């Protein structure tokens, strides 16, 4: 369970104290505040704060006072136009702050997105909890035979059992030794900043992560993609649900123009044009390599 | 006057509609919302939105749930500790969005601070207003004789009058021609993106500018400094007053550790130590160049 | 003419002194060093320094020693794969430093690309030159009637003449007054940081601009695009020619996958699939707005 | 040993092929190219490429052609002036690219410096090597009793032995199981992206890391500081030696104004002034908290 009773009590108390504000406010996001959406076996994502809404995107695009004139185009039309034409700055005018609990190996992928603010729980200063990610059986995938950084079928039978046993036992033993090493009971006790090095990458960490909507959508495009590792994709999907509630126009435009669409290369575009004229195009006549052609066919 | 009656009416309407929120809320900042603080002759700064407060800094530093435990140290003590030891990430967890009206030559200095989000009024798309910055007589400074990028005494008499006449007349003529060139009355009308090139750098522009507290304080340190150009310093000072209301603990720590303090070089520190031991230190025995020594003396 | 005889002499001297290096070196880029490519009437772009080459992209992608093993795939294939799948970090491993002379209104667009390092000629410290951008007759475009931020036909006849006269005369007068105001001959002389505000946006400035290849390609995608303002597009095109010489594999992949290709929305992709099956799709049955449909048609 | 014979042979071959270049070249840095400076038990830092030198800093600050006029001030004087007055952009005009091999827990601290480009060895794609950081006995420190994130004395006797045994045995067992899990010999074989989660944080990883001189010096200031964790400090120190060879003027200014100096708060500055006038100042009369006073005393 991601939250302890004390944490839940503290959160309940906070949910009971609304304050009046003149800022842009999204009722559906208020529902998310102080609630943790569970992800994986011990992780979660929760919205700590948000700034702006769909109107704020338009207001910034128009550099307007108050809510801005809406005579030229309605808000959704403007947002779709901005997304379609790669105008990124208006989307940067919305900001979100999340509290995330996640395995260290997921955190290591996540942090590659540099345009964000991060405060991570310090294992130099504090003692980490005994919580490790152990995959569900259907997430216990074999190495893909076609994609060097992908997954194949789920493992089965004895092999699956042995893997789970290794993951669990090694984590428990490592944590036992971690505790033993830092203990100052009858000994000096190893510095926390050193003892932590014994802990495996499936241990959970936590951080506050704050970013703007443009960079968040970029994160979602890469991490909610089917090629992303499953363990980060589930975080991206949980965040996507929150973004849908937060800025529904922007999220719908994002789905239409980024997630659901496709990028054609110059060669791909040329092939589509020839195919629309009735030509039978093959890989050999396409001007594409085999890999490109395979990807092109899967798009269509 | 920075706001038109229509703008004021729109803002008044917005100020009349508070909404309940569970987010961190600062009553003193709510007072700033939708109010423009006038700067220079036609400019202003107004808070459009804000995220976080002093507690949010501590909450992020502790990576805590809810408001976080306060047993270890109180919030102000923690904030002072973080500021003193150059911990920047907790301060990045607060964000502010401002609407600023400012002369173009000020905007050109301002934009050098790159870690921010900006939406500027588009002179490709829209027609600029006939508003130009004309300095007050006491801001009409001569070139400094000692500092190549500084100011000396205010100009006086005929020279001052001539300068003001040039600034006003050239601006008016440039704007007349701008209007004439873009007019499509009886002619094709020059593209706005071209016509704007005739306008001088004291014309006013507007933008939405959003940044986090850490980068905002860095901006204030450089731009509220006595060496900054007066015309950007007054913006920094106006923003400083808002930050004081927003995050009073952080602002006080900033004043103590950044604005009011001093940086000593290795040589400067060595001199202070020798002076505290009673030694008479001169520039010759200080190990400093004349410039460094002059700055060192002015600190003490 | 962009370079004075003294500048040319200095550059000639530098071109005569090659030094041996073990770093990645691109002979075609060495040809560009210390040569200014002229742009517009007084502007230029010149390569001051560069880091990396096509091999360096692959080396970083493989995190390899030396030149890295090339058994898995050849360099061009790897670069195309990286570009196609939006892997940005290997392209960030190449860096370029340019010296650019450009009109202020172009500089104001350019600086919106924030992920770069910039040192601009200081008009607080130094005196600007009397050099202004005056468009060629065929660049003297009217406002587009269909696109609020675009251009239509070139102006003709008396209208064109009047525009050129205004641009020239206003610039000359503004500069005369600038010189007169800063003069300390028989008067105090206005501070440079103030006097510059009288100068129009077609005056030339200069800067050193340094960025990595990934961000440079992003700049080129937006600024070499047909929707970009002509006056910045010519700079982007001049830089594009340099990049083609610098990293030919990466540039070709960029042309194929970014510049020459197309992005289809979910609705657009759906229409293509239906059209390939022989269906007659119209705007009404497309699920797209009129604007989207028009853009979709123009792609195909 | 950090480099295998094959790697060494490849590097030797590269060192034997200098090419002529017109770019800024630093002979002392050429010596570093393709040589790995060993750090910790299996780690290293090696310079892959560099851009610029001390002159390039000045050239950018002056926005000059060629080497720029040096009449106003000599290069070292200008660099010291820039450093003293916090001018950061000229230092951003130098860039360095390093190949670093480092334990994962060090990489996790390092990556918090976001203004850099990184390509890390992919454990989704590739198999990690069996190399783990095991501290030397004198680095096997106990937890500090005064500083929650610091170290005390080295562990001794049986306690030290037990810690080393745990670190070694747990690492070996985790790696044995990692190998066993990914093996496809007689079984499906677990996906690499999953199997890696069993590996502890003292395993070595590698990356290409590229940053500009300004951000590199900021990294050194924080990570070569005595409060930084020893295991990252040794990397910072190794890099510092390279920077000293690369840009000797800038590095000396950095040592004088950043590393060797001190920051005084407003209260600290006030105390120094009072002490210089002969007053006996105590913590009680200083206006500082106990923590601030202790730090103030340690500076003087």
């Amino acid at each position: 369970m991601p939250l302890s009773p004390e944490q839940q009590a503290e959160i309940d108390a906070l949910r009971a104290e609304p304050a009046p504000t003149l800022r842009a406010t999204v009722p559906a996001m208020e529902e998310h505040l102080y609630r943790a959406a569970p992800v994986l076996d011990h992780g979660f994502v929760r919205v700590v704060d948000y700034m702006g809404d769909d109107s704020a995107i338009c207001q910034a695009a128009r550099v307007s006072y108050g809510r801005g004139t809406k005579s030229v185009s309605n808000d959704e039309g403007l947002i779709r136009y901005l997304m379609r034409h790669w105008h990124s700055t208006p989307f940067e005018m919305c900001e979100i702050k999340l509290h995330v609990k996640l395995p260290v190996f997921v955190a290591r992928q996540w942090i590659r997105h540099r345009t964000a603010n991060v405060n991570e729980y310090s294992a130099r200063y504090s003692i980490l909890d005994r919580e490790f990610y152990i995959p569900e059986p259907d997430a216990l995938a074999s190495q893909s035979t076609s994609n060097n950084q992908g997954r194949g079928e789920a493992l089965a039978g004895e092999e699956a059992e042995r893997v789970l046993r290794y993951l669990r036992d090694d984590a428990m033993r490592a944590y036992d030794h971690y505790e033993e090493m830092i203990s100052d009971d009858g000994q000096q006790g190893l510095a926390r900043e050193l003892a932590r090095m014994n802990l495996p990458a499936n241990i959970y960490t936590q951080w506050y992560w704050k970013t703007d909507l443009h960079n968040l959508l970029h994160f979602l495009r890469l991490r909610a993609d089917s090629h992303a590792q499953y363990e980060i994709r589930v975080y991206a999907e949980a965040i996507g649900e929150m973004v849908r509630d937060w800025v529904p126009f922007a999220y719908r435009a994002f789905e239409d123009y980024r997630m659901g669409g496709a990028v054609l290369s110059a060669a791909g575009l040329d092939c589509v044009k020839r195919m629309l004229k009735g030509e039978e195009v093959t890989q050999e006549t396409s001007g594409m390599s085999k890999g490109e052609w395979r990807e092109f066919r899967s798009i269509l």
Side-chain angles (χ1 to χ4, degrees), chain A:
Chain A
M1 204 194 66
L3 290 182
S4 70
E6 293 74 24
Q7 288 161 349
Q8 193 56 56
E10 194 176 346
I11 283 172
D12 291 346
L14 286 162
R15 284 201 61 81
E17 300 173 28
T21 187
L22 294 167
R23 293 172 291 167
T25 301
V26 180
M29 277 302 265
E30 295 290 329
E31 285 304 307
H32 283 295
L33 284 170
Y34 303 109
R35 294 197 203 281
V39 184
L40 297 180
D41 49 356
H42 301 288
F44 63 75
V45 177
R46 66 184 192 91
V47 184
V48 174
D49 209 338
Y50 67 92
M51 173 189 276
D53 56 8
D54 274 329
S55 287
I57 297 167
C58 299
Q59 191 187 15
R62 298 178 181 124
V63 194
S64 59
Y65 295 82
R67 298 224 169 104
T69 168
K70 297 181 183 172
S71 60
V72 178
S73 66
N74 64 38
D75 276 8
E76 181 159 20
L78 176 55
I79 284 175
R80 294 180 72 82
Y81 176 89
L82 295 169
M83 183 76 76
R84 205 157 72 237
H85 291 93
W86 305 89
H87 288 255
S88 52
T89 55
F91 298 102
E92 296 174 5
M93 287 291 154
C94 293
E95 188 91 9
I96 196 167
K97 182 159 52 174
L98 303 171
H99 180 184
V100 188
K101 187 171 167 189
L102 70 179
V104 161
F105 71 93
V106 174
R108 298 239 297 135
Q109 286 192 337
W110 194 307
I111 202 77
R112 295 176 56 186
H113 296 263
R114 289 157 297 171
T115 311
N117 309 116
V118 186
N119 270 274
E120 186 173 354
Y121 187 84
S122 169
R124 290 186 74 193
Y125 190 91
S126 309
I127 298 171
L128 291 166
D129 290 332
R130 187 192 283 267
E131 287 183 310
F132 297 87
Y133 168 61
I134 306 294
E136 292 293 311
D138 60 348
L140 209 66
S142 62
Q143 179 72 21
S144 165
T145 50
S146 63
N147 179 346
N148 275 328
Q149 56 177 21
R151 294 184 181 187
E153 302 285 297
L155 300 186
E158 257 184 66
E159 185 180 355
E161 277 169 39
R162 191 170 59 250
V163 164
L164 289 175
R165 196 171 63 242
Y166 282 164
L167 292 177
R168 277 198 203 101
D169 291 358
D170 288 357
M172 287 305 116
R173 187 186 302 103
Y175 195 86
D176 288 344
H177 291 166
Y178 170 69
E179 275 192 319
E180 216 178 302
M181 289 190 286
I182 61 177
S183 165
D184 57 2
D185 186 5
Q187 64 177 12
Q188 291 177 273
L190 185 64
R192 288 165 197 164
E193 67 181 27
L194 286 172
R196 62 166 162 173
M197 79 169 85
N198 202 51
L199 295 168
N202 59 341
I203 196 165
Y204 275 88
T205 184
Q206 296 183 35
W207 61 32
Y208 271 54
W209 190 68
K210 174 172 151 286
T211 194
D212 64 63
L213 179 58
H214 168 67
N215 281 288
L216 182 65
L217 292 177
H218 184 69
F219 175 88
L220 294 184
R221 182 156 71 106
L222 295 181
R223 302 304 171 185
D225 185 87
S226 63
H227 294 89
Q229 182 165 354
Y230 166 77
E231 281 77 17
I232 197 166
R233 201 166 67 229
V234 287
Y235 283 91
E237 288 166 353
I239 295 171
E241 293 305 307
M242 293 162 180
V243 177
R244 185 195 304 277
D245 286 339
W246 176 27
V247 282
F249 292 163
Y251 193 75
R252 194 146 56 209
F254 169 70
E255 287 188 314
D256 285 357
Y257 297 124
R258 297 286 184 276
M259 292 303 278
V263 179
L264 295 178
S265 68
L269 182 57
D270 178 61
C271 287
V272 165
K273 288 178 185 172
R274 286 156 60 197
M275 289 157 77
L276 285 175
K277 285 187 188 142
E279 185 180 336
E280 194 77 41
V281 182
T282 63
Q283 188 249 314
E284 287 72 22
T285 63
S286 69
M288 295 186 226
S289 72
K290 280 184 183 165
E292 288 177 67
W293 177 255
R294 194 170 51 236
E295 293 167 23
F296 173 72
R297 291 306 312 172
S298 79
I299 287 171
L300 299 180

